[in-house]
Amino acid sequence: MKLTGAHIIWKCLVEQGVDTVFGYPGGAILPAYDALLDHPIRHVLVRHEQGATHMADGYARASGKAGVALATSGPGATNLVTGIATAMMDSIPLVCITGQVPEALLGSDAFQETDITGITLPITKHNYLVTSAADIAPTIREAFSVATSGRPGPVLVDITKNAQQHETEPVPSPPPPPPARHAALAPSRSHADALSRATALLANAKRPVILAGHGILKSGAMDDVRTLAERAQVPVAMTLLGIGSLPAAHPLNLGMMGMHGEAWVNDAIQEADLLLAFGMRFDDRVTGKLASYAVNAKKIHIDIDPSELHKNVRADVAIAGDLGTVLRQWLAQVEPARHEAWISRIGELAGGPTVRDIAELPDNGRLCAAHVIHDIWRATEGRAIITTDVGQHQMWTAQYYKVAEPGTFITSGGLGTMGFGVPAAIGAKLARPDREVWAIVGDGGFQMTQAELQTMVQERVKIHIAIINNGYLGMVRQWQQFFHDRRYSATPMSSPDYVKLADAHGLSGLRVTQRSEMAEALRQAREAPGAVVMDFRVEQEDIVYPMVSPGAALNDMIRRPGSPTLAETGADA
């Protein structure tokens, strides 16, 4: 029996295991929306197409499956761009399906015609323009394979309206392909040689550090990394997106590295004689000044994307391959080892349990962002799914929310997308309805996508929104304080009354201005039957410490000036 291209779209999505999509209808995608009513897929109506890609992104990160977003042509498609770029930078599998004007009108500047494949070429793993109904099924199947194989990423499929309307014989689904892996994973002599050299470097190292990146989570290699770290007693430093790859409470977990990482972690990297870089790309926020980055350390770099090897930092051993597969091969060669002196040295750098002790943060009736995030962590025992926007609150969350499980810290790393937190939390909650979900956002980022509050209402999605409200674009203001002589240009920011805003949407709203109010507010939010918007009025000109200035060495950090209440390392205590 012949089917329209529109029906074939949904049959293919069902075939790929899709149960939820995020989108916004319009003229060029209308045939697909008409066909949707005949297929068992939940559609979440967003309030802006950027929200669709962020929700699909959060859904993908929380579920481990590809997220799906739909939009019409022209402005609908272009509104997806920021979310697509966010997914591309963080290696998140998305399939974005857009409607396009009929094939006969392509190139004529028709109403709502935009060359979305041309626009998204640099920010997608691959994209397609489909003009025939017969090509829809094989293209969508290939799109999912491309999005989820190797280094994951977003794929866009642009389908003309005539292709959706025309009928064709549906193409039978081919047998499932074998798990798509990077070609470099095939057993090879070069892999064996590289692993032998890596084994020798690790055996001879006195001060090794594992650099744990997002690739650990993408590969599912958490147990393999933990086994290696424990067997060879190697401490583990986290990138921002690597958080969760080893429980925060594990004794070998040092915490986050980089521009706003723990000072002792950056010091340890600079003193190391061997860096084991797993699924990370040595970006500028991790390395600081490259010329002075870990100059005395040998480097072992394992990544599924060969283009990342030697790109920023030259490795002594570089292996392109799926991290879990490579580590399991390598573990057969790794002998038990102890590095007690090195662990003791890092303990000296860190200064023991008094460092970053939240109990030592001054209260005096005030409310600091660190108080808020720590108390959320304590209430949830580190087991909630946390999403964030980008800025100071994001760094404080990375520092003070001690993540216990992999895949539960969801944030925009590479692109640094404000407005990500709330829609990503909606997607994560729909992927994991059994889990408690918190969106920790700034007042700036929240206002970018606050329209999605009504999506939460319509879809009956319960998440908790913690707005760290300091009346500024906080991280930009911090840079203005440090590098522009406190000339606060365009960073003071007003906000609506968030409690009234929540009420206007039919949601519960709470305002907290003092630390003493935190416990009761968190209890009310967690016991509420629906979503809650929480307005935390925190200190306005607080600073994220430490901070590596742009162009500075990794261990040349701006430190908390003369604070008797909160130490950054043992040297500060």
Side-chain angles (χ1 to χ4, degrees), residues 125 142 144-152 176-183 185 304 322 325:
K125 193 174 175 186
E142 184 173 296
F144 274 87
S145 178
V146 171
T148 58
S149 64
R151 181 178 182 172
R181 296 299 187 196
H182 200 282
L185 286 179
I304 198 166
D322 174 75
T325 303

Side-chain angles (χ1 to χ4, degrees), residues 69 96 104 115 175 205 257 340 348 364 406 515 539:
C96 298
D115 179 12
M257 67 182 94
E340 299 291 356
E348 293 172 4
N364 303 325
R515 180 89 186 271
E539 286 293 293

Side-chain angles (χ1 to χ4, degrees), residues 132-163:
S132 167
D135 292 332
I136 290 176
T139 301
I140 289 179
R141 289 167 184 152
E142 184 173 296
F144 274 87
S145 178
V146 171
T148 58
S149 64
R151 181 178 182 172
V155 176
L156 183 134
V157 181
D158 195 31
I159 307 175
T160 59
K161 192 168 186 178
N162 61 285

Side-chain angles (χ1 to χ4, degrees), residues 229-544:
E230 291 175 347
R231 183 181 300 176
Q233 199 185 25
V234 181
V236 183
M238 304 286 162
T239 68
L240 177 66
L241 293 183
I243 290 173
S245 55
L246 188 68
H250 193 285
L252 289 173
N253 188 336
L254 301 181
M256 187 174 71
M257 67 182 94
M259 178 174 279
H260 293 291
E262 310 290 3
W264 63 86
V265 178
N266 291 347
D267 286 337
I269 290 170
Q270 293 295 78
E271 291 187 17
D273 63 1
L274 178 65
L275 298 181
L276 299 92
F278 295 158
M280 54 88 71
R281 55 190 178 87
F282 289 109
D283 70 281
D284 59 297
R285 294 299 172 101
V286 162
T287 63
K289 185 179 179 181
L290 282 172
S292 58
Y293 178 71
V295 293
N296 297 316
K298 300 290 186 181
K299 283 95 177 175
I300 299 170
H301 192 182
I302 305 173
D303 198 281
I304 198 166
D305 185 351
S307 70
E308 294 295 348
L309 303 177
H310 308 302
K311 185 176 81 174
N312 295 325
V313 171
R314 189 78 186 171
D316 297 275
V317 176
I319 301 175
D322 174 75
L323 181 64
T325 303
V326 173
L327 286 181
R328 286 188 287 275
Q329 293 172 354
W330 191 21
L331 281 168
Q333 304 178 27
V334 174
E335 296 292 337
R338 308 299 295 169
H339 297 100
E340 299 291 356
W342 177 225
I343 299 297
S344 177
R345 168 59 181 159
I346 294 174
E348 293 172 4
L349 292 171
T354 62
V355 175
R356 205 180 290 286
D357 185 348
I358 199 73
E360 297 299 320
L361 256 180
D363 188 331
N364 303 325
R366 303 177 304 164
L367 184 65
C368 294
H371 291 146
V372 175
I373 293 161
H374 175 270
D375 289 352
I376 292 172
W377 165 73
R378 185 168 56 187
T380 61
E381 299 180 336
R383 299 191 179 278
I385 293 176
I386 302 294
T387 70
T388 79
D389 272 348
V390 170
Q392 286 183 316
H393 72 276
Q394 178 191 34
M395 296 297 103
W396 281 317
T397 303
Q399 291 176 344
Y400 289 102
Y401 193 94
K402 302 173 181 63
V403 176
E405 299 175 16
T408 58
F409 180 66
I410 296 174
T411 192
S412 170
L415 196 65
T417 304
M418 292 178 66
F420 176 82
V422 168
I426 295 172
K429 182 65 175 180
L430 290 172
R432 301 292 305 276
D434 57 315
R435 298 299 295 266
E436 182 176 359
V437 177
W438 283 79
I440 300 177
V441 297
D443 45 338
F446 174 75
Q447 291 187 68
M448 287 188 171
T449 50
Q450 67 183 21
E452 303 305 340
L453 289 178
Q454 198 59 34
T455 303
M456 293 163 46
V457 172
Q458 184 166 335
E459 297 294 329
R460 295 181 172 85
V461 177
K462 179 181 179 179
I463 62 173
H464 309 297
I465 300 174
I467 304 172
I468 308 300
N469 184 359
N470 61 9
Y472 282 98
L473 297 174
M475 187 59 82
V476 184
R477 185 210 61 76
Q478 176 171 326
W479 281 53
Q480 289 173 330
Q481 176 177 335
F482 285 156
F483 310 121
H484 296 275
D485 197 28
R486 292 181 181 266
R487 291 163 58 87
Y488 295 160
S489 173
T491 47
M493 169 171 273
S494 64
S495 289
D497 184 320
Y498 291 124
V499 174
K500 290 182 178 179
L501 179 67
D503 183 65
H505 285 281
L507 300 171
S508 298
L510 297 169
R511 181 174 294 113
V512 178
T513 60
Q514 298 184 18
R515 180 89 186 271
S516 59
E517 301 168 350
M518 282 293 302
E520 175 60 18
L522 292 175
R523 184 193 66 77
Q524 290 183 35
R526 300 183 75 208
E527 293 179 0
V532 178
V533 177
M534 307 184 74
D535 178 11
F536 293 101
R537 299 289 183 89
V538 299
E539 286 293 293
Q540 286 194 293
E541 296 192 37
D542 204 352
I543 298 291
V544 179

